[in-house]
């Protein structure tokens, strides 16, 4: 993995020969055949789990992110410093995690409601965090006389968690990996000639065979580092088949191949693998039934341990990220970066413990759920669980309604029961389904500041009518980023640091529009949150009303400032369209968060 910047087969025991990759040398290599029923059975635990722990751990924890006065490094330390590999290798002599306690790591994860652990068996620096017989570059070189992965495998087995391995395709240390780095001063000593990538692939497969045959059943092999030109789609298919030949039930992520689309993590074309891997973002709407995915995200700004990075996300943000992923049909893989002593940093432990308290009460609203039937809920999210002929909707309330009325827009089903998840016998009043949906009456205060969960049992499968944003009775209205229609090829909704916003607004021809229903005539102030490094100007239009707005320079694209765009008038109840289009001359991009209508003074 790459840390965030502050702005943003051995099939039948034989290797594929080099000729196998020559153009037209063989018919197209395809993933091992599997029926839909077989795939569903293999993916069942993953879809049930919804929540996992990511662990980035290696010798880069020794410098702890600091070198030559720069304190911003993480697991990419070797590549970013361009330190000679021989110098970097000395960190292995200092890596002695005597405080490592596999049972404690697993206990923290299990208590937090996590169902699986993905740990870096080898990151891009090539260092093996287990006692590999394929190379001395790993835990064998350190003073630590144990095998962390053996201990973690045993602890996971005892606790009932799935053990999974992150294994990098890219390797900056190995003498036969290409492209060879100029600062790899060890490689020419080991291999004075031209690197042989086929030998490297055989080495990588050898390590994977160790992991898949000596550490018990492996839930997932999580690949990364596939983007360099030496790795091809054909190699990805071959490696996928190799993994599935050794352990047929193992799940493999889509980074085994070349199909993923950057940090969005989903296949953009010719892909291979079992699920998509958005990184540091949550897709705005999910991907619909039958598409498996998992968002991996950090707790602070780094994957690997960085002692100076104290920019920790709040527990509220982490819990809501988990809910957001589940509400869109995906999983949440939350990262920790242990120290060189083998300790998970105290702020991470604190957040895991606070998540544990929430999950103890609310786990039924996460495990085994499917995506929300609603296009958008202004107050939070919903997850779904079908139970026989009926359905349970779990309503995750982030923003407690001030008027005590929680609207489920467009819901047509008969309601069988309504109560808080932790209060089975305390029924909440609700309206009968109507044209506007169902309204639930709530007490004045939210039971949980992180997210309060309401159970709504309905008859049959969810039926939701057309959803259009409707102005509240007091005139207020929020135009959410996920409610917008985005026109353009690059502009998109992104989730950075837990904040959803419209970004990648790079083309002046791209624009945004919202449709909404107004119920209360009057004059309204339109405000929004923007983040920019320049002063981008747009035209804001509502019907025949038009005015220009210029975004302030907030310093970067993650620093948002609330600003007033201008004033508009709603002359009569009806359906309206609001558009925001750039002024094409000298367009300067900016990121835009939710827009709000409020009665003008």
């Amino acid at each position: 993995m790459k840390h965030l910047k502050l702005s943003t087969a051995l099939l039948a025991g034989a290797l594929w020969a080099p000729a196998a990759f020559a153009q037209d040398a063989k018919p197209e290599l395809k993933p091992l055949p599997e029926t839909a029923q077989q795939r569903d059975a293999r993916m069942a635990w993953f879809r049930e789990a919804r929540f996992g722990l990511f662990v980035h751990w290696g010798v880069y924890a020794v410098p702890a992110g600091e070198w030559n006065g720069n304190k911003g490094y993480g697991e990419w330390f070797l590549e970013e410093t361009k330190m000679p590999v021989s110098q970097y290798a000395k960190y292995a002599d200092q890596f002695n995690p005597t405080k490592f306690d596999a049972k404690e790591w697993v206990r923290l994860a299990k208590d937090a409601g996590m169902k699986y652990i993905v740990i870096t068996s080898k990151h891009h620096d090539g260092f093996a965090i287990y006692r590999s017989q394929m190379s001395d570059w790993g835990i064998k070189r350190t003073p630590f006389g144990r095998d962390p992965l053996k201990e973690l495998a045993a602890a996971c087995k005892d606790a009932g968690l799935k053990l999974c391995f992150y294994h990098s395709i890219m390797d900056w240390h190995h003498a036969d990996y290409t492209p060879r780095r100029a600062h790899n001063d060890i490689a020419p000593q080991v291999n004075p000639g031209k690197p042989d990538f086929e030998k490297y692939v055989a080495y990588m497969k050898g390590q994977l065979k160790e992991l898949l045959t000596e550490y018990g059943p492996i839930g997932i092999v999580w690949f990364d580092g596939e983007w360099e030109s030496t790795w091809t789609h054909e190699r990805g298919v071959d490696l996928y088949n190799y993994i599935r030949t050794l352990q047929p039930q193992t799940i493999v992520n889509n980074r085994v191949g070349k199909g993923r689309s950057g940090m969005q993590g989903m296949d953009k074309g010719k892909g291979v693998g079992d699920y998509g891997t958005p990184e540091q973002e949550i897709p705005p709407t999910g991907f619909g039934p039958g598409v498996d995915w998992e968002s991996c995200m950090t707790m602070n700004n780094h994957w690997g341990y960085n002692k100076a990075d104290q920019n920790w996300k709040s527990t509220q943000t982490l819990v809501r990220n988990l809910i957001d992923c589940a509400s869109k049909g995906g999983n949440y893989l939350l990262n920790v970066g242990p120290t060189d002593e083998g300790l998970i940093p105290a702020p991470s432990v604190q957040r895991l413990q606070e998540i544990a308290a929430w999950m103890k009460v609310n786990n039924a609203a996460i495990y085994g759920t499917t995506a929300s039937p609603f296009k958008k809920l202004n107050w939070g999210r919903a997850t779904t669980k079908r139970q026989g002929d009926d359905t349970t909707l779990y309503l995750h309330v982030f923003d407690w309604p001030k008027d005590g009325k929680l609207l489920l827009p467009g819901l047509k089903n008969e309601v069988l029961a309504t109560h808080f998840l932790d209060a089975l016998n305390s029924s909440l009043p609700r309206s009968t389904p109507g044209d506007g949906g169902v309204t639930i009456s709530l007490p004045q205060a939210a039971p949980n500041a992180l997210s309060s969960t309401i159970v709504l049992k309905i008859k049959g499968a969810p039926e939701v009518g057309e959803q259009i944003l409707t102005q509240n009775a007091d005139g207020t209205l929020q135009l959410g980023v996920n409610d917008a229609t985005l026109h353009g090829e690059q502009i998109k909704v992104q989730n950075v640091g837990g904040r959803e916003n419209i970004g990648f607004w790079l083309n002046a021809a791209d624009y945004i529009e919202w449709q909404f229903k107004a119920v209360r005539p009057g004059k309204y102030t339109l405000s929004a949150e923007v983040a920019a490094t320049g002063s981008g100007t747009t035209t804001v239009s509502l019907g025949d009303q038009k005015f220009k707005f210029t975004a302030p320079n907030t310093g970067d694209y993650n620093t948002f400032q609330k600003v007033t765009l201008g004033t508009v008038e709603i002359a009569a109840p009806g359906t309206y369209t609001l558009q925001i289009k750039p002024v094409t001359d000298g367009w300067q991009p900016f990121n835009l968060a939710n827009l709000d209508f409020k009665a003008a003074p």
Side-chain angles (χ1 to χ4, degrees), residues 480-501:
V481 297
N482 291 317
D483 299 311
T485 300
L486 306 182
H487 298 269
E489 294 184 357
Q490 292 178 292
I491 189 171
K492 68 175 185 177
V493 175
Q494 59 183 351
N495 188 313
V496 180
R499 175 188 290 273
E500 289 186 318
N501 62 87

Side-chain angles (χ1 to χ4, degrees), residues 30 57 83 114 131 149 190 193 206 217 237 239 290 317 320 324 328 403-404 410 478 507 537 543:
K30 295 184 178 180
W57 195 35
M83 176 183 287
M114 294 160 162
R131 303 189 79 80
L149 294 197
V190 177
V237 176
L239 191 55
T317 294
R320 293 184 177 187
D324 196 17
K328 295 167 182 175
D403 62 0
Q478 183 177 83
N507 192 330
T537 301

Side-chain angles (χ1 to χ4, degrees), residues 121-187:
S121 51
K122 186 197 79 165
H123 204 268
H124 306 326
D125 63 357
F127 183 86
I129 201 73
Y130 71 103
R131 303 189 79 80
S132 174
Q133 301 307 307
M134 298 295 297
S135 171
D136 289 334
W137 178 235
I139 202 72
K140 289 195 305 184
R141 177 173 173 145
T142 74
F144 194 58
R146 293 150 52 190
D147 185 332
L149 294 197
K150 285 284 188 184
E151 297 177 20
L152 196 61
C156 284
K157 181 179 179 180
D158 289 345
L161 269 63
K162 294 279 188 180
L163 177 64
C164 312
F165 294 137
Y166 167 115
H167 206 78
S168 175
I169 291 170
M170 185 163 60
D171 193 317
W172 304 321
H173 183 276
H174 199 279
D176 282 305
Y177 179 81
T178 53
R180 181 186 285 180
R181 271 44 180 180
H183 54 284
N184 189 349
D185 56 338
I186 291 178

Side-chain angles (χ1 to χ4, degrees), residues 335-590:
N335 184 76
V336 295
T339 70
D340 61 327
E341 293 183 302
L343 296 174
I344 295 175
S348 294
V349 171
Q350 178 186 348
R351 282 155 180 76
L352 289 174
Q353 291 172 337
E354 290 169 352
I355 292 171
W358 187 88
M359 282 291 284
K360 185 177 181 180
V361 174
N362 296 279
N363 65 77
I366 301 294
Y367 299 146
T369 58
T370 55
S372 172
F374 301 98
K375 179 181 176 182
K376 174 70 175 179
L377 295 170
N378 290 330
W379 41 260
R381 303 289 186 269
T383 52
T384 309
K385 192 175 289 184
R386 192 69 189 269
Q387 298 168 315
D389 293 333
D390 300 325
T391 302
T392 297
L393 298 177
Y394 296 99
L395 312 178
H396 303 266
V397 186
F398 296 172
D399 301 316
W400 202 252
K402 294 179 181 179
D403 62 0
K405 304 297 182 183
L406 192 75
L407 175 64
L408 296 165
L411 184 64
K412 299 179 178 181
N413 301 72
E414 177 187 346
V415 177
L416 303 176
T418 312
H419 57 82
F420 285 111
L421 182 56
D422 59 347
L424 303 181
N425 298 319
S426 180
S427 180
L428 294 168
R430 76 270 179 175
S431 67
T432 57
D435 291 339
V438 172
T439 299
I440 302 173
S441 298
L442 300 179
Q444 185 175 6
N448 193 306
L450 302 182
S451 177
S452 301
T453 310
I454 296 168
V455 175
L456 185 74
K457 292 189 176 182
I458 60 175
K459 191 173 184 61
E463 294 181 47
V464 179
E466 181 183 4
Q467 291 179 252
I468 183 170
L469 285 170
T470 302
Q471 188 181 26
N472 297 319
D474 63 358
T476 59
L477 172 66
Q478 183 177 83
L479 303 180
V481 297
N482 291 317
D483 299 311
T485 300
L486 306 182
H487 298 269
E489 294 184 357
Q490 292 178 292
I491 189 171
K492 68 175 185 177
V493 175
Q494 59 183 351
N495 188 313
V496 180
R499 175 188 290 273
E500 289 186 318
N501 62 87
I502 297 171
F504 288 83
W505 200 353
L506 306 176
N507 192 330
D510 296 352
Y511 65 99
I512 310 169
E513 67 179 11
W514 288 266
Q515 189 177 66
F516 65 95
K517 184 184 292 185
V519 298
R520 181 174 176 175
K523 290 185 177 181
Y524 295 91
T525 300
L526 182 60
S527 62
E529 292 181 86
V530 300
T533 60
S535 298
T537 301
T538 63
T539 296
V540 181
S541 62
L542 182 72
D544 58 0
Q545 303 172 70
K546 291 185 178 181
F547 59 86
K548 289 184 178 180
F549 161 73
T550 300
N553 185 339
T554 66
D556 63 54
Y557 289 111
N558 292 325
T559 300
F560 285 83
Q561 179 181 329
K562 190 164 186 177
V563 295
T564 298
L565 278 65
T567 302
V568 295
E569 183 174 4
I570 302 295
T575 300
Y576 290 81
T577 298
L578 177 80
Q579 290 187 342
I580 301 181
K581 291 186 174 182
V583 173
T584 56
D585 293 340
W587 166 240
Q588 295 291 318
F590 61 84

Side-chain angles (χ1 to χ4, degrees), residues 25 44 48 77 104 119 122 172 279 306 398 402 409 545 551 555 573:
E48 170 71 23
F77 185 95
E104 177 61 13
I119 186 170
K122 186 197 79 165
W172 304 321
E279 180 173 335
N306 180 298
F398 296 172
K402 294 179 181 179
Q545 303 172 70

Side-chain angles (χ1 to χ4, degrees), residues 79-400:
E79 181 82 341
E80 292 180 330
T81 64
K82 298 296 186 291
M83 176 183 287
V85 168
S86 60
Q87 182 179 345
Y88 181 76
K90 294 177 182 178
Y91 286 128
D93 302 328
Q94 304 172 50
F95 188 72
N96 191 22
T98 56
K99 295 182 181 179
F100 168 68
D101 185 341
K103 291 182 179 179
E104 177 61 13
W105 284 19
V106 170
R107 185 193 64 78
L108 280 169
K110 185 173 183 176
D111 285 354
M114 294 160 162
K115 295 292 189 177
Y116 58 108
I117 296 176
V118 183
I119 186 170
T120 49
S121 51
K122 186 197 79 165
H123 204 268
H124 306 326
D125 63 357
F127 183 86
I129 201 73
Y130 71 103
R131 303 189 79 80
S132 174
Q133 301 307 307
M134 298 295 297
S135 171
D136 289 334
W137 178 235
I139 202 72
K140 289 195 305 184
R141 177 173 173 145
T142 74
F144 194 58
R146 293 150 52 190
D147 185 332
L149 294 197
K150 285 284 188 184
E151 297 177 20
L152 196 61
C156 284
K157 181 179 179 180
D158 289 345
L161 269 63
K162 294 279 188 180
L163 177 64
C164 312
F165 294 137
Y166 167 115
H167 206 78
S168 175
I169 291 170
M170 185 163 60
D171 193 317
W172 304 321
H173 183 276
H174 199 279
D176 282 305
Y177 179 81
T178 53
R180 181 186 285 180
R181 271 44 180 180
H183 54 284
N184 189 349
D185 56 338
I186 291 178
Q189 302 173 30
V190 177
N191 178 15
K194 185 179 179 180
D196 186 340
F197 196 72
E198 295 303 325
K199 289 183 178 179
Y200 169 70
V201 173
Y203 164 80
M204 178 173 61
K205 285 184 173 181
Q207 285 199 322
L208 289 165
K209 186 175 183 180
E210 291 176 327
L211 293 166
L212 288 160
T213 59
E214 299 175 21
Y215 291 82
I218 304 305
I220 299 168
V221 179
W222 210 105
F223 287 107
D224 195 23
E226 83 289 358
W227 51 82
E228 297 195 304
S229 61
T230 43
W231 196 250
T232 65
H233 169 74
E234 290 76 17
R235 292 189 187 277
V237 176
D238 173 48
L239 191 55
Y240 176 86
N241 288 345
Y242 179 60
I243 299 301
R244 297 275 323 283
T245 300
L246 291 170
Q247 283 200 24
Q249 295 306 308
T250 296
I251 296 170
V252 183
N253 74 338
N254 68 338
R255 301 190 187 194
V256 69
K258 297 286 284 190
R260 74 167 168 130
S261 179
M263 294 300 189
Q264 291 176 278
M266 304 305 291
D267 289 342
K268 58 184 177 182
K270 196 173 183 181
V272 62
D274 297 316
Y275 68 92
T277 52
E279 180 173 335
Q280 297 289 28
E281 61 180 71
I282 300 172
T285 59
F287 304 99
V291 179
D292 297 296
W293 57 274
E294 168 197 73
S295 282
C296 57
M297 303 180 80
T298 54
M299 284 196 191
N300 56 3
N301 290 328
H302 293 80
W303 298 97
Y305 177 60
N306 180 298
K307 64 183 178 183
D309 183 1
Q310 298 301 316
N311 188 26
W312 300 96
K313 299 178 180 72
S314 69
T315 303
Q316 183 185 77
T317 294
L318 301 179
V319 166
R320 293 184 177 187
N321 283 347
L322 169 61
I323 295 168
D324 196 17
C325 288
S327 76
K328 295 167 182 175
N331 287 18
Y332 185 43
L333 187 62
L334 181 60
N335 184 76
V336 295
T339 70
D340 61 327
E341 293 183 302
L343 296 174
I344 295 175
S348 294
V349 171
Q350 178 186 348
R351 282 155 180 76
L352 289 174
Q353 291 172 337
E354 290 169 352
I355 292 171
W358 187 88
M359 282 291 284
K360 185 177 181 180
V361 174
N362 296 279
N363 65 77
I366 301 294
Y367 299 146
T369 58
T370 55
S372 172
F374 301 98
K375 179 181 176 182
K376 174 70 175 179
L377 295 170
N378 290 330
W379 41 260
R381 303 289 186 269
T383 52
T384 309
K385 192 175 289 184
R386 192 69 189 269
Q387 298 168 315
D389 293 333
D390 300 325
T391 302
T392 297
L393 298 177
Y394 296 99
L395 312 178
H396 303 266
V397 186
F398 296 172
D399 301 316
W400 202 252

